[in-house]
Coordinates of all heavy atoms in Angstrom, one line a residue:
M13 N -58.4 -44.8 -49.5 CA -57.0 -44.3 -49.8 C -56.3 -43.9 -48.5 O -55.2 -44.2 -48.3 CB -57.1 -43.1 -50.8 CG -55.8 -42.7 -51.3 SD -55.3 -43.7 -52.7 CE -54.4 -42.5 -53.6
A14 N -57.1 -43.2 -47.6 CA -56.5 -42.7 -46.4 C -56.1 -43.9 -45.5 O -55.1 -43.9 -44.8 CB -57.5 -41.8 -45.6
N15 N -56.9 -45.0 -45.6 CA -56.6 -46.2 -44.8 C -55.3 -46.9 -45.3 O -54.5 -47.4 -44.5 CB -57.8 -47.2 -44.9 CG -58.9 -46.9 -44.0 OD1 -58.7 -46.1 -43.0 ND2 -60.1 -47.4 -44.2
D16 N -55.2 -46.8 -46.6 CA -53.9 -47.4 -47.2 C -52.7 -46.6 -46.8 O -51.7 -47.2 -46.5 CB -54.0 -47.3 -48.8 CG -55.0 -48.4 -49.3 OD1 -55.3 -49.4 -48.5 OD2 -55.3 -48.3 -50.5
D17 N -52.8 -45.3 -46.7 CA -51.7 -44.4 -46.3 C -51.4 -44.7 -44.8 O -50.2 -44.8 -44.5 CB -52.0 -42.9 -46.4 CG -52.1 -42.5 -47.9 OD1 -51.5 -43.3 -48.7 OD2 -52.6 -41.4 -48.2
R18 N -52.4 -44.9 -44.0 CA -52.2 -45.2 -42.6 C -51.6 -46.5 -42.4 O -50.7 -46.7 -41.6 CB -53.5 -45.1 -41.8 CG -53.8 -43.6 -41.4 CD -55.0 -43.6 -40.5 NE -56.0 -42.8 -41.2 CZ -57.3 -43.1 -41.3 NH1 -57.8 -44.1 -40.6 NH2 -58.1 -42.3 -41.9
A19 N -52.0 -47.5 -43.2 CA -51.5 -48.9 -43.1 C -50.0 -48.9 -43.5 O -49.2 -49.5 -42.9 CB -52.3 -49.8 -44.0
E20 N -49.7 -48.1 -44.6 CA -48.3 -48.0 -45.1 C -47.5 -47.4 -44.0 O -46.3 -47.8 -43.8 CB -48.2 -47.3 -46.4 CG -48.7 -48.1 -47.6 CD -48.5 -47.3 -48.9 OE1 -47.7 -46.4 -48.9 OE2 -49.2 -47.7 -49.9
S21 N -48.0 -46.3 -43.4 CA -47.2 -45.6 -42.4 C -47.0 -46.5 -41.2 O -45.9 -46.5 -40.6 CB -48.0 -44.3 -42.0 OG -47.3 -43.7 -40.9
T22 N -48.0 -47.2 -40.8 CA -47.8 -48.2 -39.7 C -46.8 -49.3 -40.0 O -46.0 -49.6 -39.2 CB -49.2 -48.8 -39.3 OG1 -50.1 -47.8 -39.0 CG2 -49.1 -49.8 -38.1
D23 N -46.9 -49.8 -41.2 CA -46.0 -50.8 -41.7 C -44.5 -50.3 -41.7 O -43.6 -51.0 -41.2 CB -46.3 -51.3 -43.1 CG -47.6 -52.2 -43.1 OD1 -48.0 -52.6 -42.0 OD2 -48.1 -52.5 -44.2
L24 N -44.4 -49.1 -42.1 CA -43.0 -48.5 -42.2 C -42.5 -48.3 -40.8 O -41.3 -48.5 -40.5 CB -43.1 -47.2 -42.9 CG -43.1 -47.3 -44.5 CD1 -43.3 -45.9 -45.1 CD2 -41.9 -48.0 -45.0
K25 N -43.4 -47.8 -39.9 CA -42.9 -47.6 -38.5 C -42.5 -49.0 -37.8 O -41.6 -49.0 -37.1 CB -44.0 -47.0 -37.6 CG -44.2 -45.5 -38.0 CD -45.3 -44.8 -37.2 CE -45.4 -43.4 -37.6 NZ -46.5 -42.7 -36.8
I26 N -43.3 -50.0 -38.1 CA -43.0 -51.3 -37.6 C -41.6 -51.8 -38.2 O -40.7 -52.3 -37.4 CB -44.1 -52.3 -37.9 CG1 -45.3 -52.0 -37.1 CG2 -43.6 -53.8 -37.7 CD1 -46.6 -52.8 -37.5
L27 N -41.5 -51.6 -39.5 CA -40.2 -52.0 -40.1 C -39.0 -51.2 -39.6 O -38.0 -51.8 -39.3 CB -40.3 -51.8 -41.6 CG -39.1 -52.2 -42.5 CD1 -38.8 -53.6 -42.3 CD2 -39.4 -51.9 -43.9
E28 N -39.2 -49.9 -39.4 CA -38.2 -49.1 -38.8 C -37.8 -49.5 -37.4 O -36.6 -49.6 -37.1 CB -38.6 -47.6 -38.8 CG -37.6 -46.6 -38.3 CD -38.1 -45.2 -38.3 OE1 -39.2 -44.9 -38.8 OE2 -37.3 -44.4 -37.8
S29 N -38.8 -49.8 -36.6 CA -38.6 -50.3 -35.3 C -37.8 -51.6 -35.3 O -36.8 -51.8 -34.5 CB -39.9 -50.5 -34.6 OG -39.7 -51.1 -33.3
R30 N -38.1 -52.5 -36.2 CA -37.4 -53.8 -36.3 C -36.0 -53.6 -36.7 O -35.1 -54.3 -36.3 CB -38.2 -54.8 -37.2 CG -39.4 -55.3 -36.6 CD -40.1 -56.3 -37.5 NE -41.4 -56.8 -36.9 CZ -42.3 -57.5 -37.6 NH1 -42.1 -57.7 -38.9 NH2 -43.3 -57.9 -37.0
I31 N -35.8 -52.7 -37.7 CA -34.4 -52.4 -38.1 C -33.6 -51.8 -37.0 O -32.4 -52.2 -36.8 CB -34.4 -51.5 -39.3 CG1 -35.0 -52.2 -40.6 CG2 -33.1 -50.9 -39.6 CD1 -35.3 -51.4 -41.8
D32 N -34.2 -50.9 -36.2 CA -33.5 -50.4 -35.0 C -33.1 -51.5 -34.0 O -32.0 -51.5 -33.5 CB -34.4 -49.3 -34.3 CG -34.5 -48.0 -35.1 OD1 -33.6 -47.8 -36.1 OD2 -35.4 -47.2 -34.9
E33 N -34.0 -52.4 -33.8 CA -33.8 -53.5 -32.9 C -32.6 -54.4 -33.5 O -31.7 -54.8 -32.7 CB -35.0 -54.4 -32.7 CG -36.1 -53.8 -31.9 CD -37.4 -54.6 -31.9 OE1 -37.4 -55.8 -32.3 OE2 -38.4 -54.1 -31.4
L34 N -32.6 -54.6 -34.8 CA -31.5 -55.4 -35.4 C -30.2 -54.7 -35.2 O -29.2 -55.3 -35.0 CB -31.8 -55.7 -36.9 CG -32.8 -56.8 -37.1 CD1 -33.2 -56.8 -38.6 CD2 -32.3 -58.1 -36.7
I35 N -30.2 -53.4 -35.5 CA -29.0 -52.6 -35.3 C -28.4 -52.7 -33.9 O -27.2 -52.9 -33.7 CB -29.2 -51.1 -35.7 CG1 -29.4 -51.1 -37.2 CG2 -28.0 -50.3 -35.3 CD1 -29.9 -49.7 -37.7
E36 N -29.3 -52.6 -32.9 CA -28.9 -52.6 -31.5 C -28.4 -54.0 -31.2 O -27.4 -54.2 -30.5 CB -30.1 -52.3 -30.6 CG -29.7 -52.3 -29.1 CD -28.5 -51.4 -28.8 OE1 -28.4 -50.3 -29.4 OE2 -27.8 -51.8 -27.9
T37 N -29.1 -55.1 -31.7 CA -28.6 -56.4 -31.5 C -27.2 -56.6 -32.1 O -26.4 -57.3 -31.4 CB -29.6 -57.4 -32.1 OG1 -30.9 -57.3 -31.5 CG2 -29.2 -58.9 -31.9
C38 N -27.0 -56.1 -33.3 CA -25.7 -56.2 -33.9 C -24.6 -55.5 -33.0 O -23.5 -56.1 -32.8 CB -25.7 -55.6 -35.3 SG -26.5 -56.7 -36.5
R39 N -24.9 -54.4 -32.5 CA -24.0 -53.6 -31.7 C -23.7 -54.4 -30.4 O -22.5 -54.5 -30.0 CB -24.5 -52.3 -31.3 CG -24.5 -51.3 -32.4 CD -25.0 -49.9 -32.0 NE -25.0 -49.0 -33.1 CZ -25.9 -48.1 -33.3 NH1 -26.9 -47.9 -32.4 NH2 -25.9 -47.3 -34.4
R40 N -24.7 -55.0 -29.8 CA -24.6 -55.7 -28.5 C -23.7 -57.0 -28.8 O -22.8 -57.3 -28.1 CB -25.9 -56.1 -28.0 CG -25.8 -56.9 -26.7 CD -27.2 -57.2 -26.1 NE -28.1 -57.9 -27.1 CZ -28.0 -59.2 -27.4 NH1 -27.1 -60.0 -26.9 NH2 -28.9 -59.7 -28.3
L41 N -24.0 -57.7 -29.9 CA -23.3 -58.9 -30.2 C -21.8 -58.6 -30.6 O -20.9 -59.3 -30.2 CB -23.9 -59.6 -31.4 CG -25.3 -60.3 -31.1 CD1 -25.9 -60.9 -32.3 CD2 -25.1 -61.4 -30.0
K42 N -21.6 -57.5 -31.2 CA -20.2 -57.1 -31.6 C -19.4 -56.8 -30.3 O -18.3 -57.2 -30.1 CB -20.2 -55.8 -32.5 CG -18.9 -55.4 -33.0 CD -19.0 -54.3 -33.9 CE -17.7 -53.9 -34.5 NZ -17.7 -52.8 -35.5
S43 N -20.1 -56.1 -29.3 CA -19.4 -55.8 -28.1 C -19.2 -57.1 -27.3 O -18.1 -57.3 -26.7 CB -20.3 -54.9 -27.2 OG -19.8 -54.7 -26.0
E44 N -20.1 -58.0 -27.3 CA -20.0 -59.2 -26.6 C -18.9 -60.1 -27.2 O -18.1 -60.7 -26.5 CB -21.3 -60.0 -26.6 CG -21.3 -61.3 -25.8 CD -22.7 -62.0 -25.8 OE1 -23.7 -61.3 -25.9 OE2 -22.7 -63.2 -25.8
N45 N -18.8 -60.1 -28.5 CA -17.8 -60.8 -29.2 C -16.4 -60.3 -28.9 O -15.5 -61.1 -28.6 CB -18.0 -60.8 -30.7 CG -17.2 -61.7 -31.5 OD1 -16.9 -62.8 -31.1 ND2 -16.7 -61.2 -32.7
H46 N -16.3 -59.0 -28.8 CA -15.0 -58.4 -28.5 C -14.6 -58.8 -27.0 O -13.5 -59.1 -26.8 CB -15.1 -56.8 -28.6 CG -13.9 -56.1 -28.1 ND1 -12.7 -56.1 -28.9 CD2 -13.6 -55.4 -27.0 CE1 -11.8 -55.4 -28.3 NE2 -12.3 -55.0 -27.1
S47 N -15.6 -58.7 -26.1 CA -15.3 -59.1 -24.7 C -14.9 -60.6 -24.7 O -13.9 -61.0 -23.9 CB -16.5 -58.9 -23.8 OG -16.8 -57.6 -23.7
L48 N -15.5 -61.5 -25.4 CA -15.2 -62.9 -25.4 C -13.8 -63.1 -26.0 O -13.1 -64.0 -25.5 CB -16.3 -63.7 -26.1 CG -17.6 -63.8 -25.4 CD1 -18.7 -64.4 -26.4 CD2 -17.5 -64.6 -24.2
K49 N -13.5 -62.4 -27.0 CA -12.2 -62.6 -27.6 C -11.1 -62.1 -26.6 O -10.0 -62.8 -26.5 CB -12.0 -61.8 -28.9 CG -12.7 -62.4 -30.1 CD -12.6 -61.6 -31.4 CE -13.3 -62.3 -32.5 NZ -13.1 -61.6 -33.8
S50 N -11.3 -61.0 -25.9 CA -10.4 -60.6 -24.9 C -10.2 -61.6 -23.8 O -9.1 -61.9 -23.4 CB -10.9 -59.2 -24.4 OG -10.0 -58.8 -23.4
E51 N -11.3 -62.1 -23.3 CA -11.3 -63.1 -22.3 C -10.6 -64.4 -22.8 O -9.8 -65.0 -22.0 CB -12.7 -63.5 -21.9 CG -12.8 -64.5 -20.7 CD -14.2 -64.8 -20.3 OE1 -15.2 -64.1 -20.7 OE2 -14.4 -65.7 -19.5
Q52 N -10.8 -64.8 -24.0 CA -10.1 -66.0 -24.5 C -8.6 -65.7 -24.6 O -7.8 -66.6 -24.2 CB -10.6 -66.3 -25.9 CG -10.0 -67.5 -26.6 CD -10.5 -67.8 -28.0 OE1 -11.0 -66.9 -28.6 NE2 -10.3 -69.0 -28.4
S53 N -8.2 -64.5 -25.0 CA -6.8 -64.2 -25.1 C -6.2 -64.3 -23.7 O -5.1 -64.8 -23.5 CB -6.6 -62.8 -25.6 OG -5.3 -62.4 -25.6
N54 N -6.9 -63.7 -22.7 CA -6.4 -63.8 -21.3 C -6.3 -65.2 -20.8 O -5.3 -65.6 -20.1 CB -7.3 -63.0 -20.4 CG -7.2 -61.5 -20.6 OD1 -6.2 -61.0 -21.1 ND2 -8.3 -60.8 -20.2
L55 N -7.3 -66.0 -21.1 CA -7.2 -67.4 -20.7 C -6.1 -68.2 -21.4 O -5.4 -69.0 -20.8 CB -8.6 -68.1 -21.0 CG -9.7 -67.6 -20.1 CD1 -11.0 -68.2 -20.6 CD2 -9.5 -68.0 -18.6
N56 N -5.8 -67.9 -22.6 CA -4.7 -68.5 -23.4 C -3.4 -68.1 -22.7 O -2.5 -69.0 -22.6 CB -4.7 -68.1 -24.8 CG -5.8 -68.8 -25.6 OD1 -6.3 -69.9 -25.2 ND2 -6.2 -68.3 -26.8
E57 N -3.2 -66.9 -22.3 CA -2.0 -66.4 -21.7 C -1.8 -67.1 -20.3 O -0.8 -67.6 -20.0 CB -2.0 -64.9 -21.5 CG -1.9 -64.1 -22.8 CD -2.0 -62.6 -22.6 OE1 -2.0 -62.2 -21.4 OE2 -2.2 -61.9 -23.6
Q58 N -2.9 -67.2 -19.6 CA -2.9 -67.9 -18.3 C -2.5 -69.4 -18.5 O -1.7 -69.9 -17.7 CB -4.3 -67.8 -17.6 CG -4.3 -68.4 -16.2 CD -5.7 -68.2 -15.6 OE1 -6.6 -67.8 -16.2 NE2 -5.7 -68.6 -14.3
H59 N -3.1 -70.0 -19.5 CA -2.8 -71.4 -19.8 C -1.3 -71.6 -20.1 O -0.7 -72.5 -19.6 CB -3.7 -71.9 -20.9 CG -3.4 -73.3 -21.3 ND1 -2.6 -73.7 -22.4 CD2 -3.9 -74.5 -20.8 CE1 -2.6 -75.0 -22.4 NE2 -3.3 -75.5 -21.5
T60 N -0.8 -70.7 -20.9 CA 0.6 -70.8 -21.2 C 1.5 -70.6 -20.0 O 2.5 -71.4 -19.8 CB 1.0 -69.6 -22.3 OG1 0.2 -69.8 -23.4 CG2 2.4 -69.7 -22.6
R61 N 1.2 -69.7 -19.1 CA 1.9 -69.5 -17.9 C 1.9 -70.8 -17.0 O 2.9 -71.2 -16.4 CB 1.4 -68.3 -17.1 CG 1.9 -66.9 -17.7 CD 1.6 -65.8 -16.8 NE 0.2 -65.7 -16.3 CZ -0.8 -65.1 -16.9 NH1 -0.5 -64.4 -18.0 NH2 -2.0 -65.0 -16.4
L62 N 0.7 -71.3 -16.9 CA 0.5 -72.5 -16.1 C 1.2 -73.7 -16.6 O 1.8 -74.5 -15.9 CB -1.0 -72.9 -15.9 CG -1.8 -71.9 -15.0 CD1 -3.3 -72.2 -15.1 CD2 -1.3 -71.9 -13.6
M63 N 1.2 -73.8 -18.0 CA 2.0 -74.9 -18.6 C 3.5 -74.8 -18.3 O 4.2 -75.8 -18.1 CB 1.7 -74.9 -20.1 CG 0.3 -75.3 -20.5 SD -0.1 -77.0 -20.0 CE 0.9 -77.9 -21.1
E64 N 4.0 -73.6 -18.4 CA 5.4 -73.3 -18.1 C 5.7 -73.6 -16.6 O 6.7 -74.3 -16.3 CB 5.8 -71.9 -18.4 CG 7.2 -71.5 -18.1 CD 8.2 -72.3 -18.9 OE1 7.9 -73.0 -19.9 OE2 9.4 -72.4 -18.4
K65 N 4.8 -73.2 -15.7 CA 5.0 -73.6 -14.3 C 5.0 -75.1 -14.1 O 5.8 -75.6 -13.3 CB 4.0 -72.9 -13.4 CG 4.1 -71.5 -13.2 CD 3.0 -70.9 -12.2 CE 3.2 -69.5 -11.9 NZ 2.2 -69.0 -11.0
T66 N 4.1 -75.8 -14.8 CA 4.1 -77.2 -14.7 C 5.4 -77.8 -15.2 O 5.9 -78.8 -14.6 CB 2.9 -77.7 -15.5 OG1 1.7 -77.2 -14.9 CG2 2.8 -79.3 -15.4
R67 N 5.9 -77.3 -16.3 CA 7.1 -77.8 -16.9 C 8.3 -77.7 -15.9 O 9.0 -78.6 -15.7 CB 7.4 -77.1 -18.2 CG 8.6 -77.7 -18.9 CD 9.1 -76.8 -20.1 NE 9.6 -75.6 -19.6 CZ 10.8 -75.4 -19.0 NH1 11.6 -76.4 -18.8 NH2 11.2 -74.2 -18.7
V68 N 8.4 -76.5 -15.3 CA 9.4 -76.2 -14.3 C 9.3 -77.1 -13.1 O 10.3 -77.7 -12.7 CB 9.4 -74.7 -13.9 CG1 10.3 -74.5 -12.7 CG2 9.8 -73.8 -15.1
A69 N 8.1 -77.3 -12.6 CA 7.9 -78.1 -11.4 C 8.2 -79.6 -11.8 O 8.9 -80.3 -10.9 CB 6.4 -78.0 -11.0
R70 N 7.8 -80.0 -12.9 CA 8.1 -81.4 -13.3 C 9.7 -81.6 -13.4 O 10.2 -82.6 -12.9 CB 7.5 -81.7 -14.7 CG 7.8 -83.2 -15.1 CD 7.1 -83.5 -16.5 NE 5.7 -83.7 -16.2 CZ 4.8 -83.0 -16.9 NH1 5.1 -82.1 -17.8 NH2 3.5 -83.1 -16.6
A71 N 10.4 -80.7 -14.0 CA 11.8 -80.8 -14.1 C 12.5 -80.8 -12.7 O 13.4 -81.6 -12.4 CB 12.4 -79.6 -14.9
R72 N 12.0 -80.0 -11.8 CA 12.5 -79.9 -10.4 C 12.3 -81.3 -9.7 O 13.1 -81.8 -9.0 CB 11.9 -78.8 -9.6 CG 12.4 -77.4 -10.1 CD 11.8 -76.3 -9.4 NE 12.3 -76.3 -8.0 CZ 11.7 -75.6 -7.0 NH1 10.7 -74.7 -7.3 NH2 12.2 -75.6 -5.8
I73 N 11.1 -81.8 -9.9 CA 10.7 -83.1 -9.2 C 11.6 -84.2 -9.8 O 12.1 -85.0 -9.0 CB 9.2 -83.4 -9.4 CG1 8.4 -82.4 -8.5 CG2 8.9 -84.8 -9.0 CD1 6.9 -82.4 -8.8
E74 N 11.8 -84.2 -11.1 CA 12.6 -85.2 -11.7 C 14.0 -85.1 -11.2 O 14.7 -86.2 -11.0 CB 12.6 -85.1 -13.2 CG 11.2 -85.6 -13.8 CD 11.1 -85.3 -15.3 OE1 12.0 -84.7 -15.9 OE2 10.1 -85.7 -15.9
T75 N 14.5 -83.9 -11.0 CA 15.9 -83.7 -10.5 C 16.0 -84.3 -9.1 O 16.9 -84.9 -8.7 CB 16.3 -82.2 -10.5 OG1 16.2 -81.8 -11.9 CG2 17.6 -82.0 -9.9
M76 N 14.9 -84.0 -8.2 CA 14.9 -84.5 -6.9 C 14.9 -86.0 -6.9 O 15.6 -86.7 -6.1 CB 13.7 -83.9 -6.1 CG 13.9 -82.5 -5.7 SD 12.5 -82.0 -4.6 CE 11.4 -81.2 -5.8
I77 N 14.1 -86.6 -7.7 CA 14.0 -88.1 -7.8 C 15.4 -88.7 -8.2 O 15.8 -89.6 -7.6 CB 12.9 -88.5 -8.8 CG1 11.5 -88.2 -8.2 CG2 13.0 -90.0 -9.1 CD1 10.4 -88.4 -9.2
D78 N 16.0 -88.0 -9.2 CA 17.4 -88.5 -9.6 C 18.3 -88.4 -8.4 O 19.2 -89.3 -8.2 CB 17.9 -87.7 -10.8 CG 17.1 -88.0 -12.1 OD1 16.4 -89.1 -12.1 OD2 17.2 -87.2 -13.0
R79 N 18.3 -87.3 -7.7 CA 19.2 -87.2 -6.5 C 18.9 -88.2 -5.5 O 19.8 -88.8 -4.9 CB 19.0 -85.7 -5.9 CG 19.7 -84.7 -6.8 CD 19.4 -83.3 -6.3 NE 19.9 -83.1 -5.0 CZ 19.5 -82.1 -4.2 NH1 18.6 -81.2 -4.7 NH2 20.0 -81.9 -3.0
L80 N 17.6 -88.5 -5.2 CA 17.3 -89.5 -4.2 C 17.8 -90.9 -4.7 O 18.3 -91.7 -3.9 CB 15.7 -89.5 -4.0 CG 15.2 -88.4 -3.2 CD1 13.6 -88.4 -3.2 CD2 15.7 -88.4 -1.8
K81 N 17.6 -91.2 -6.0 CA 18.1 -92.5 -6.5 C 19.6 -92.5 -6.3 O 20.2 -93.6 -6.0 CB 17.7 -92.6 -8.0 CG 16.2 -92.9 -8.2 CD 15.9 -93.1 -9.6 CE 14.4 -93.4 -9.8 NZ 14.1 -93.5 -11.3
A82 N 20.3 -91.4 -6.6 CA 21.8 -91.4 -6.5 C 22.1 -91.7 -5.0 O 23.1 -92.4 -4.7 CB 22.3 -90.1 -7.0
L83 N 21.4 -91.1 -4.1 CA 21.7 -91.3 -2.6 C 21.5 -92.7 -2.3 O 22.2 -93.3 -1.5 CB 20.9 -90.3 -1.8 CG 21.3 -88.9 -1.7 CD1 20.2 -88.1 -1.0 CD2 22.6 -88.8 -1.0
E84 N 20.4 -93.3 -2.8 CA 20.0 -94.7 -2.5 C 21.1 -95.6 -3.0 O 21.4 -96.6 -2.3 CB 18.7 -95.0 -3.2 CG 18.1 -96.3 -2.8 CD 16.7 -96.4 -3.5 OE1 16.7 -96.9 -4.6 OE2 15.7 -96.1 -2.8
R85 N 21.7 -95.3 -4.1 CA 22.8 -96.2 -4.6 C 24.1 -96.1 -3.9 O 24.9 -96.9 -3.9 CB 23.1 -95.8 -6.1 CG 22.0 -96.4 -7.0 CD 22.4 -96.1 -8.5 NE 21.2 -95.5 -9.1 CZ 21.2 -94.4 -9.8 NH1 22.3 -93.7 -10.0 NH2 20.1 -93.9 -10.4
S86 N 24.3 -94.9 -3.2 CA 25.5 -94.7 -2.5 C 25.7 -95.5 -1.2 O 24.8 -95.9 -0.5 CB 25.7 -93.2 -2.1 OG 25.6 -92.4 -3.1

């Protein structure tokens, strides 16, 4: 009977330890997920800014090309 009690106690301690590990893993993953979402948001904003800069640059280059073509025709 004493052996059974010790075995149950050991099993419960092992189970408790595993549950604590799972809780810590969940906390770590939640934190990591939050960081990744924040990084993704920042990258999306950066991408949007770069796309706008590209659009503006393209428009300026097209304007210059049109001006050069107009000068060429003159």
Side-chain angles (χ1 to χ4, degrees):
M13 189 86 149
N15 283 339
D16 286 343
D17 288 344
R18 279 188 238 136
E20 283 182 24
S21 178
T22 301
D23 288 345
L24 284 175
K25 286 180 182 179
I26 290 170
L27 181 59
E28 183 179 356
S29 174
R30 288 183 180 168
I31 290 171
D32 288 342
E33 288 174 11
L34 284 172
I35 290 170
E36 183 55 36
T37 299
C38 286
R39 285 183 183 143
R40 182 180 51 78
L41 289 173
K42 187 175 182 178
S43 175
E44 185 178 329
N45 190 40
H46 177 73
S47 295
L48 289 171
K49 284 181 179 181
S50 178
E51 183 178 350
Q52 181 182 21
S53 176
N54 290 337
L55 289 172
N56 285 339
E57 289 173 13
Q58 183 180 8
H59 180 261
T60 299
R61 286 192 304 272
L62 290 173
M63 291 297 290
E64 178 61 17
K65 284 183 178 183
T66 300
R67 187 194 63 75
V68 169
R70 180 178 288 122
R72 290 178 66 190
I73 290 169
E74 288 173 356
T75 300
M76 285 189 264
I77 290 171
D78 290 342
R79 287 174 59 198
L80 287 171
K81 286 180 181 179
L83 283 174
E84 191 177 81
R85 284 185 228 127
S86 304

